[in-house]
Amino acid sequence: MLKPIVVGLDGSRQSLAAAEWGARAALRRGLPLRLVHAWQGSPGEAMPPDLTVPQYWARRVLRGALERISERYPQVYVSAEQVRHPPRQALLTAAEDAELLVLGNEGLSGVGSLFSGSVALSVVSHAPLPVVLVRAGFTAPDEHRPHDSGASCERTPFRDVVAALEPEKSYDELLAFAFAEAALRAATLHAVHVWHLPYSTAHTAVPGVRAASRQAAETAMADRLSPWREKYPTVPVRSSVIRARTAHEIVHVSEGAGLLVVGRGPRHAGMGPRTGPVTHAVIHHVACPVAVAPHG
């Protein structure tokens, strides 16, 4: 049975952009699309009068999104479901049987969306699969390079898929997703590693030490990418090793990208949502969709 692309809907502009992004992802993969709207309540409970409004709103949100996706992407099989559970629980449950989970992204500010703020951050931190966060206003032409005239166009090649890596870590799941996504788009994969010397030596290191450190970083990147280049020989790959001290360099590099892929490490028992400085920064500041993939 094919696993669907699951989209969390709440009626916000960003969640509708996520639904359309999910439809395009489903189309490229030949998978069904499942739209989920969650609202507070427990299955089997009698319906209190004050819950009739959210139930009506859920139906309206789902019906509107279903009609919109069916009209714009008629080749995609799409279903819609109301889930009477808290949003976090509903999304993590839906993710268990999904190929990909897609949510709207307003920088996780918690304003105007059930699936932003602490809910989305918790889902990103706990989901066992990649979660893609899409900002309001991101459309199909934005995935493509602009026309020579400067106009947006869906007939031009896809923009790069950028993957932020730390070569010393196990990034097989992240690279599997990034290379597969680049292959589906016939896009270039741009692998980026931001490195820096230890703070204690950064100001005193001689040029030879800096050069050796850069060479070591470049070698580690080449070794990490080598098996994936062999597995995806048709995917053009370029690699950048950038000396900087801030995760925001990834934000700069991703300007003009069609998708940014970042990782998040395993969550340790007893700790709250943890995404790491790079992932935290890009979720807040990157304009293109951000895919957060778990890694070991």
Side-chain angles (χ1 to χ4, degrees):
M1 182 177 178
L2 295 177
K3 291 185 176 182
I5 305 292
V6 173
V7 178
L9 277 176
D10 59 13
S12 64
R13 291 177 60 242
Q14 58 267 25
S15 77
L16 292 176
E20 295 202 19
W21 192 98
R24 295 191 295 274
L27 184 60
R28 286 191 288 267
R29 291 166 170 79
L31 295 177
L33 179 69
R34 181 187 174 203
L35 308 177
V36 174
H37 184 287
W39 53 288
Q40 194 75 37
S42 300
E45 290 181 348
M47 181 68 67
D50 59 347
L51 285 184
T52 58
V53 173
Q55 184 184 43
Y56 169 77
W57 172 248
R59 289 174 179 170
R60 182 177 176 181
V61 166
L62 286 172
R63 183 170 60 251
L66 188 61
E67 292 174 354
R68 179 171 177 163
I69 296 301
S70 298
E71 178 182 353
R72 298 188 180 188
Y73 303 94
Q75 311 97 315
V76 176
Y77 174 79
V78 55
S79 62
E81 180 181 3
Q82 288 186 64
V83 181
R84 196 176 169 190
H85 284 297
R88 175 186 176 279
Q89 177 186 345
L91 292 172
L92 289 175
T93 299
E96 294 175 359
D97 299 313
E99 181 73 18
L100 191 64
L101 179 62
V102 189
L103 302 176
N105 177 22
E106 277 292 349
L108 302 186
S109 63
V111 178
S113 173
L114 291 174
F115 295 155
S116 65
S118 60
V119 172
L121 187 58
S122 181
V123 171
V124 166
S125 299
H126 291 78
L129 78 175
V131 180
V132 179
L133 303 169
V134 184
R135 288 193 181 274
F138 190 88
T139 63
D142 296 323
E143 294 185 321
H144 297 260
R145 300 182 184 276
H147 191 268
D148 291 340
S149 65
S152 298
C153 179
E154 292 185 51
R155 295 186 295 276
T156 57
F158 279 92
R159 296 175 184 265
D160 291 359
V161 174
V162 176
L165 304 176
E166 294 179 51
E168 67 276 10
K169 294 185 178 180
S170 175
Y171 271 130
D172 285 347
E173 292 172 332
L174 184 154
L175 285 169
F177 176 81
F179 269 88
E181 191 66 33
L184 287 166
R185 298 163 180 245
T188 295
L189 178 69
H190 183 189
V192 180
H193 170 46
V194 176
W195 70 283
H196 62 271
L197 293 170
Y199 184 79
S200 59
T201 62
H203 299 292
T204 59
V206 297
V209 172
R210 290 194 292 268
S213 297
R214 173 178 286 278
Q215 183 59 52
E218 291 174 348
T219 299
M221 277 284 280
D223 291 344
R224 174 63 67 189
L225 293 172
S226 179
W228 294 97
R229 288 177 184 267
E230 295 178 4
K231 186 174 182 179
Y232 290 90
T234 62
V235 173
V237 180
R238 60 191 180 101
S239 176
S240 297
V241 175
I242 303 169
R243 183 185 172 199
R245 294 200 59 87
T246 171
H248 285 273
E249 186 64 28
I250 298 296
V251 177
H252 175 69
V253 171
S254 66
E255 291 178 1
L259 177 70
L260 172 63
V261 186
V262 296
R264 61 106 181 137
R267 177 181 178 274
H268 301 289
M271 300 181 71
R274 297 179 65 85
T275 56
V278 172
T279 301
H280 190 76
V282 301
I283 286 174
H284 281 78
H285 299 291
V286 169
C288 72
V290 177
V292 183
H295 64 77

